[in-house]
């Protein structure tokens, strides 16, 4: 989806940039600053800035770009505020908004920007690139007359060249492994839908699994469709996976909770300096899954809207929360579209879970770098591996409906801890990821053996297919061709993961159907065999059932 698989600071800041917002249509009005007691101070500051900018433009010894100076000034000013108030210049605003849209007009590829070079991860099913024959692993050399290598190539640049009006044409020049000369493709852009529910399938006769990757425009509708489909298949228990979900629209998150929560229970409330942004959101609809046990998976990358869902369900004892302590993002932003196409996301309030918790982790005004190091610090202090390393503030204790102790001040602490599994990770594996070597092998393998896969169902494949040592040797051979230096010790450590990951990718390319609304069920079903979080969560539905029925002992309540 002209959708990046990124390795840069953008990825690190995603929970910050995809922060909780108010309802999608709400924007600041012309009277936003009308009630400010400091209006005279604001006016004086505006006059001073205008004077300095005019002096520079008229008198500075060299020619300067005043637009760049203004962008820089705004960015540096906002660094004195909280870490979630953020400014996007017009180019970056387009890329940021696209993360929450339900679709776009483009050529339909998932790409990876690696060392100033753009690689195709995969052409999206049903898109122009797939129809034209663009393949995973293709290196994009040129788009129309624009060279696609070098330091100028960033995500905003890529978006601006690949996306465009539906029906418009774009010429792509690519370099493909094994083909000596570049290949040219003339593509006609089309509408490319994007999806936020990445998987929805039955794990067994009773347990349904739903993976939500973000809270975008279409998330609530996708979630309802997924739950409805699973219920027709007999779902009586729900595993909701919010791991790695950086958040998005608040109302999509609260609507999701409303489908799981009975009565008119409080879901979330906000409080800010201006009482126009103070509100309470309660359950109001007859939900699709108000009965039946629920387990929610979270981790250190589950942020903002994800934490609203987990916090509300935990406070009302509606779901058992499993995994690791979440990101800790409890501030609400108002998106403001500025006149030149840039965007300001301004923090206007804090949100609180039903028990009264603010789960915003501590921060120092103006210290964005220190704030971004929090996850790294958790890793170094052992919190991602040992539950006893989680240091909750004893002064920030709150009670769920049933009297269980929960904590504020830094994310949602899970009811059941699952350590991060790094036993199979290695630098060699990370290089394979960066160059998309395993993906490329899987796609080529499926293309060469498609008739074989057409003879068996996915259920048969899942049960009987095994990745051979010859396949692994093929991956290593391709990696060497990609200038990835072989390391026997690291390869041996990562071999079980590579084997499972390769099978999962083969399943995706061989069996993913166009009529599934973007679901990657086959991939997740294979990967779940090595996913300790899913395996642990699957054993906890009896405990979740106790919560759903209000069977919480005094001992449990004091935990």
């Amino acid at each position: 989806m002209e959708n990046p698989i990124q390795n840069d600071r953008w990825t690190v800041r995603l929970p910050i940039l995809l922060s909780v917002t108010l309802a999608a249509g709400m924007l600041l009005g012309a009277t936003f600053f009308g009630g400010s007691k400091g209006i005279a101070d604001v006016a004086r500051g505006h006059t001073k800035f205008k004077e300095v900018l005019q002096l520079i433009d008229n008198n500075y010894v060299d020619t300067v770009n005043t637009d760049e100076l203004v962008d820089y000034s705004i960015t540096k000013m906002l660094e004195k505020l909280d870490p979630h108030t953020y400014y996007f210049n017009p180019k970056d605003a387009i890329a940021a908004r696209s993360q929450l849209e339900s679709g776009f007009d483009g050529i339909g590829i998932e790409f990876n920007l690696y060392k100033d070079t753009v690689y195709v991860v995969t052409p999206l099913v049903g898109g122009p690139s797939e129809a034209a024959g663009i393949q995973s692993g293709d290196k994009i050399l040129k788009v129309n007359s624009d060279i696609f290598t070098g330091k100028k190539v960033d995500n905003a640049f890529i978006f601006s060249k690949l996306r465009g009006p539906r029906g418009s044409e774009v010429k792509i020049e690519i370099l493909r492994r094994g083909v000596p000369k570049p290949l040219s493709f003339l593509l006609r852009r089309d509408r490319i839908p994007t999806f936020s529910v990445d998987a929805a399938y039955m794990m067994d006769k009773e347990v349904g699994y739903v993976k939500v990757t973000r809270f975008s425009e279409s998330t609530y509708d996708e979630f309802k469709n997924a739950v409805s489909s699973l219920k027709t298949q007999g779902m009586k228990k729900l595993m909701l996976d919010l791991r790695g979900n950086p958040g998005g629209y608040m109302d999509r998150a609260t609507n999701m909770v409303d489908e799981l929560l009975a009565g008119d229970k409080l879901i979330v409330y906000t409080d800010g300096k201006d009482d126009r942004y103070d509100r309470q959101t309660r359950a109001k609809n007859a939900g699709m899954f108000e009965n039946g046990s629920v387990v929610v998976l979270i981790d250190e990358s589950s942020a903002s809207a994800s934490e609203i869902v987990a916090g509300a369900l935990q406070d009302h004892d509606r779901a058992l929360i499993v995994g690791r302590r979440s990101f800790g993002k409890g501030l609400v932003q108002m998106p403001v579209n500025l006149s030149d196409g840039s965007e300001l996301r301004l923090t206007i309030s804090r949100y609180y879970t039903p028990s009264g918790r603010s789960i915003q982790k501590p921060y120092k005004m103006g210290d964005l770098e220190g704030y971004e190091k929090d996850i790294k610090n958790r890793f170094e202090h052992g919190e991602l591996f040992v539950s006893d390393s989680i240091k909750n503030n004893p002064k920030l204790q709150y009670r769920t409906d049933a009297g269980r102790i929960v904590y504020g001040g830094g994310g949602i602490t899970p009811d059941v801890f699952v350590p991060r599994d790094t036993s199979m990770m290695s630098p060699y594996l990370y290089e394979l990821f960066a160059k998309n070597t395993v993906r490329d092998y899987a796609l080529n393998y499926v293309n060469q053996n498609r008739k074989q896969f057409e003879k068996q169902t996915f259920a048969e494949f899942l049960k009987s297919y095994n990745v051979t040592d010859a396949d692994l040797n093929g991956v290593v051979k391709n990696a060497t061709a990609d200038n990835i230096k072989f390391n026997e010790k690291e390869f041996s450590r990562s071999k079980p993961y590579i084997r499972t990951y390769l099978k999962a990718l083969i399943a995706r390319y061989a069996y993913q159907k166009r009529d599934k609304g973007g679901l990657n069920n086959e991939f997740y079903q294979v990967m779940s065999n090595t996913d300790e979080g899913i395996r642990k969560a699957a054993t906890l539905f009896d405990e979740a059932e106790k919560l759903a029925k209000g069977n919480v002992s005094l001992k449990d309540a004091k935990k």
Side-chain angles (χ1 to χ4, degrees):
M1 54 181 179
E2 278 87 279
N3 184 27
I5 304 296
Q6 290 134 337
N7 305 303
D8 53 18
R9 281 176 70 86
W10 184 277
T11 301
V12 177
R13 292 188 176 187
L14 197 56
I16 299 176
L17 303 185
L18 282 188
S19 49
V20 174
T21 65
L22 297 181
M26 180 175 288
L27 297 175
L28 288 180
T31 61
F32 181 76
F33 293 109
S36 174
K37 296 180 180 179
I39 190 68
D41 293 336
V42 173
R44 283 196 298 270
H46 172 265
T47 299
K48 183 189 297 184
F49 181 78
K50 183 178 179 181
E51 287 176 344
V52 172
L53 191 65
Q54 191 69 57
L55 285 168
I56 292 172
D57 190 39
N58 291 339
N59 303 299
Y60 186 68
V61 62
D62 296 319
T63 301
V64 297
N65 186 322
T66 53
D67 287 339
E68 290 184 357
L69 288 179
V70 170
D71 284 352
Y72 180 79
S73 301
I74 294 173
T75 299
K76 298 305 289 185
M77 174 177 64
L78 297 183
E79 287 179 0
K80 294 294 184 181
L81 305 179
D82 69 274
H84 294 286
T85 292
Y86 208 85
Y87 168 78
F88 299 93
N89 64 38
K91 288 198 306 181
D92 289 342
I94 294 173
R97 293 182 196 121
S98 71
Q99 299 290 338
L100 296 177
E101 293 174 351
S102 59
F104 60 90
D105 293 341
I107 67 169
I109 63 167
E110 191 175 280
F111 69 83
N112 183 28
L113 178 58
Y114 179 73
K115 292 184 178 179
D116 301 331
T117 301
V118 182
Y119 295 88
V120 176
V121 173
T122 185
L124 297 184
V125 173
S129 293
E130 184 199 42
I134 299 262
Q135 296 182 11
S136 174
D138 286 347
K139 181 191 299 183
I140 300 180
L141 302 178
K142 187 185 294 185
V143 175
N144 291 328
S145 60
D146 295 292
I147 304 298
F148 251 52
T149 56
K151 293 183 178 180
K152 70 174 181 179
V153 180
D154 57 17
N155 289 305
F157 175 84
I158 298 169
F159 282 131
S160 69
K161 303 303 177 184
L162 296 183
R163 297 187 178 186
R166 196 178 318 180
S168 60
E169 292 185 337
V170 57
K171 185 177 181 181
I172 307 289
E173 185 176 292
I174 62 99
L175 186 64
R176 180 170 296 165
R177 180 190 290 115
V179 179
K181 294 182 179 181
L183 302 174
S184 293
F185 297 85
L186 184 64
L187 307 178
R188 189 180 298 274
R189 295 183 178 98
D190 200 355
R191 187 64 177 173
I192 310 297
T194 58
F195 303 97
S196 52
V197 173
D198 211 23
Y201 62 87
M202 294 296 294
M203 299 178 65
D204 57 31
K205 293 182 179 180
E206 293 189 338
V207 179
Y209 172 85
V210 177
K211 171 73 174 179
V212 183
T213 59
R214 65 188 183 280
F215 288 90
S216 66
E217 291 176 339
S218 60
T219 300
Y220 177 51
D221 290 334
E222 291 180 53
F223 178 73
K224 286 195 299 181
N225 290 338
V227 171
S228 176
S229 174
L230 294 177
K231 286 180 66 177
T232 63
Q233 298 175 58
M235 180 178 72
K236 295 181 175 62
K237 305 171 184 178
L238 171 64
M239 185 184 299
L240 177 60
D241 193 344
L242 300 179
R243 292 175 299 176
N245 185 321
Y249 291 122
M250 176 187 286
D251 62 340
R252 274 61 168 187
T254 57
N255 287 341
M256 180 183 292
V257 175
D258 199 354
E259 295 297 333
L260 306 175
L261 201 59
D264 65 345
K265 295 184 177 70
L266 181 65
I267 296 174
V268 68
Y269 67 93
T270 59
D271 183 45
K273 180 173 65 177
D274 191 325
D275 59 12
R276 286 180 295 170
Y277 308 115
D278 297 349
R279 63 184 61 191
Q280 290 188 355
T281 302
R282 292 183 170 274
K284 57 185 178 181
N285 298 318
M288 300 178 68
F289 198 73
E290 292 181 352
N291 299 306
S293 53
V294 180
V295 173
V296 177
L297 282 162
I298 62 171
D299 65 10
E300 59 279 0
S301 296
S302 304
S304 65
S306 298
E307 295 172 298
I308 287 177
V309 173
L313 297 177
Q314 186 179 51
D315 282 2
H316 290 303
D317 302 293
R318 177 66 186 94
L320 192 72
I321 310 302
V322 177
R324 296 181 293 279
R325 183 165 65 98
S326 62
F327 183 86
K329 198 278 180 186
L331 300 174
V332 181
Q333 280 67 52
M334 174 78 78
V336 190
N337 294 325
L338 304 180
S339 58
D340 66 343
S342 56
E343 182 176 302
L344 174 67
R345 294 190 182 176
L346 182 67
T347 297
I348 58 170
S349 61
R350 292 178 173 82
Y351 76 77
Y352 298 83
T353 70
S355 66
R357 289 186 284 170
S358 168
I359 54 83
Q360 175 62 47
K361 62 187 176 184
Y363 61 88
K364 181 180 178 181
M365 297 288 272
D367 185 15
L368 181 60
E369 183 177 355
Y371 189 77
E372 291 178 340
K373 288 181 179 178
D374 174 65
I375 300 300
K376 179 182 178 182
N377 291 338
R378 295 192 202 183
F379 183 92
E380 293 176 347
H381 295 160
E383 181 184 319
L384 305 186
F385 308 100
V386 182
S387 61
D388 291 342
S389 297
I390 301 176
K391 304 300 181 184
N392 288 310
N393 187 341
K395 296 181 180 180
L396 298 176
Q397 287 188 4
Y398 298 82
R399 293 277 182 174
T400 69
D401 291 354
R404 297 184 301 138
I405 293 175
V406 289
Y407 293 91
I412 302 293
T413 299
D415 302 310
V416 178
F417 178 79
V418 178
R420 184 173 178 177
D421 183 7
T422 59
S423 61
M424 292 181 284
M425 301 296 106
S426 70
Y428 185 76
L429 180 62
Y430 298 144
E431 282 284 305
L432 295 180
F433 286 154
K435 289 289 187 69
N436 301 309
T437 306
V438 185
R439 288 175 182 260
D440 191 23
Y441 185 91
L443 185 60
N444 289 334
Y445 183 87
V446 171
N447 287 336
Q448 294 169 10
N449 298 276
R450 192 167 294 279
K451 290 184 179 180
Q452 169 191 334
F453 293 115
E454 290 175 350
K455 295 177 181 178
Q456 63 179 165
T457 65
F458 171 69
E460 293 169 338
F461 168 90
L462 184 63
K463 183 177 180 180
S464 63
Y465 183 86
N466 294 305
V467 171
T468 66
D469 288 341
D471 293 321
L472 296 181
N473 291 335
V475 171
V476 171
K477 182 179 179 180
N478 286 355
T480 303
D482 283 336
N483 297 317
I484 300 175
K485 186 177 180 179
F486 182 69
N487 185 301
E488 176 66 40
K489 183 178 180 181
E490 293 177 4
F491 175 71
S492 296
R493 177 180 179 179
S494 300
K495 184 184 292 187
Y497 185 90
I498 297 172
R499 196 184 296 273
T500 302
Y501 184 55
L502 180 56
K503 180 177 179 178
L505 290 173
I506 291 173
R508 170 186 287 174
Y509 298 135
Y511 294 101
Q512 184 177 347
K513 306 300 181 184
R514 299 188 183 199
D515 59 355
K516 287 190 176 180
L519 297 177
N520 292 306
N521 288 345
E522 295 83 5
F523 176 85
Y524 281 97
Q525 282 179 269
V526 175
M527 292 302 298
S528 66
N529 293 325
T530 59
D531 190 322
E532 185 58 32
I534 290 178
R535 290 164 61 179
K536 180 66 175 179
T539 68
L540 296 170
F541 278 101
D542 287 345
E543 192 71 22
E545 184 68 19
K546 291 180 183 178
L547 288 179
K549 293 181 178 179
N551 292 333
V552 179
S553 67
L554 184 62
K555 178 181 178 181
D556 293 329
K558 291 182 178 180
K559 284 184 179 179

